[in-house]
Amino acid sequence: MILAKLPFAAHALVETAAALSFIFDPDKQLPGCSVSAKLILRQYGGLLLSTNLICLVILAEPGCTDATRLFAAALGTYHVWPCYRAYARMRHGIRVSRKEQSTLGGPLLHLIVHLACLTMFAGAYMSPEIPPSIG
């Protein structure tokens, strides 16, 4: 595997577990939420699965293209928001339930994992393994 594709594999692994949790047990993500909130969480889980499909397509392609670079930028940008959420939870002392803790691993682990993904995607975006577009 080309090193520039590593973040796509990491994203697919990390976000598959999250997506399944959002879809099949939204109460783990947001305990005591309303039916409307559960629908939104399930929709978000579906969105995460669609990003995983993009990652699988990129992983299956031979080599890298400029599209690989652009998807790295897009998916890296996504990881900013889970980092922000984890940081805000730590900064403001937002407590999580035991059920939520067991699902997400807590805000510190959440921050570490998403910072790692963000860093890997930034590296892939700047990678010399991906030829720049000409024209």
Side-chain angles (χ1 to χ4, degrees):
M1 176 191 314
I2 296 173
L3 194 57
K5 288 189 175 187
L6 182 61
F8 294 97
H11 176 90
L13 288 173
V14 167
E15 298 304 343
T16 295
L20 295 176
S21 178
F22 278 110
I23 291 168
F24 295 114
D25 199 357
D27 279 320
K28 278 188 177 179
Q29 299 293 337
L30 192 60
C33 62
S34 69
V35 173
S36 296
K38 287 180 186 179
L39 290 172
I40 292 169
L41 292 172
R42 287 187 172 114
Q43 179 180 338
Y44 180 63
L47 179 62
L48 287 176
L49 285 179
S50 69
T51 67
N52 290 350
L53 180 59
I54 291 167
C55 289
L56 293 176
V57 167
I58 288 170
L59 290 168
E61 281 184 340
C64 293
T65 65
D66 198 44
T68 309
R69 179 186 310 279
L70 295 174
F71 280 121
L75 290 170
T77 302
Y78 157 77
H79 285 280
V80 168
W81 298 104
C83 288
Y84 171 74
R85 177 178 171 226
Y87 170 77
R89 289 167 60 198
M90 291 187 304
R91 174 83 168 94
H92 299 292
I94 299 170
R95 300 218 182 259
V96 294
S97 69
R98 287 200 187 276
K99 190 175 186 181
E100 200 176 5
Q101 180 86 21
S102 68
T103 301
L104 300 174
L108 180 59
L109 180 59
H110 202 208
L111 179 62
I112 291 167
V113 167
H114 286 284
L115 276 175
C117 287
L118 173 59
T119 302
M120 286 190 292
F121 276 121
Y125 177 78
M126 297 181 287
S127 174
E129 295 178 11
I130 304 174
S133 63
I134 299 173

